[in-house]
Amino acid sequence: MPQLQQIADNIWTVAAQHAFLGMHLGTRMTVVRLASGGLWLHSPVAAYPNATLHGPHALRRKRKDLPFSADLSDTPHPDWLNDLAPLVIRGCLLQETVFFHQRSRTLIASDLVENFKTSPHWLTRMYLKVCGLEGKITWGGPYRLLYRNRQAARACIDRLLEWPFERVVIAHGDLILRDAHLSIERGMAWLKA
């Protein structure tokens, strides 16, 4: 059974196994206790039938089996307006929305970057080496093609870097708990090229 790991006041993560194309990349759910006392789950690793489900508009069209209540946008939902600031990363086919939890100075993302030192699994280790990810906090070379409008994406990353975050929760790889702001700035610098 996955265990909650507290990373800041009112923020926990749960790591879970996840394979993609045979690679062991893992995934991570973030749990935030809201000022209202409610819970906000990002990238859930289990079903929560009574939850209010938010997602990108494109995912709502793709996954008609999921009961979405709202589309994610740069406007926070009233339930978490006082806790989290959302930012849609435009210009990328992933349509990721990242969130800034100001009280804990935590950035919450899924696929903004990956952070793997290495992997004991040979296929995953080869993926990390080939994509230039091993030992680096960045986004893999081949996947950079998903950023169709780099200028729009760069503008979003510049906005994100205005937030004073001190740690970053990501879905794949290790949490970024040291030099987080600088790590994201460097890890996304390729967008300027």
Side-chain angles (χ1 to χ4, degrees), residues 84-148:
L84 296 154
L87 174 64
V88 177
I89 306 299
R90 301 193 188 320
C92 180
L93 295 176
L94 294 177
Q95 299 181 340
E96 176 161 15
T97 302
V98 298
F99 300 87
F100 177 57
H101 185 256
Q102 187 169 349
R103 282 182 293 156
S104 69
R105 294 163 113 34
T106 302
L107 180 66
I108 301 166
S110 292
D111 298 315
L112 184 66
V113 295
E114 294 183 352
N115 180 25
F116 291 95
K117 289 177 185 63
T118 190
S119 173
H121 181 254
W122 73 270
L123 182 59
T124 306
R125 193 169 49 254
M126 291 303 105
Y127 157 76
L128 297 175
K129 287 177 191 268
V130 168
C131 291
L133 290 167
E134 190 173 46
K136 297 178 183 161
I137 299 171
T138 192
W139 189 235
Y143 295 115
R144 293 177 184 183
L145 296 173
L146 295 172
Y147 283 81
R148 297 296 176 95

Side-chain angles (χ1 to χ4, degrees), residues 59-70:
L59 185 60
R60 180 191 292 254
R61 287 193 319 261
K62 182 179 174 183
R63 294 290 311 270
K64 295 184 185 307
D65 59 312
L66 296 175
F68 286 101
S69 300

Side-chain angles (χ1 to χ4, degrees), residues 48 159 186:
Y48 297 92
R159 282 186 54 206
R186 287 179 178 165

Side-chain angles (χ1 to χ4, degrees), residues 44-60:
V45 295
Y48 297 92
N50 296 326
T52 301
L53 186 61
H54 302 251
H57 182 70
L59 185 60
R60 180 191 292 254

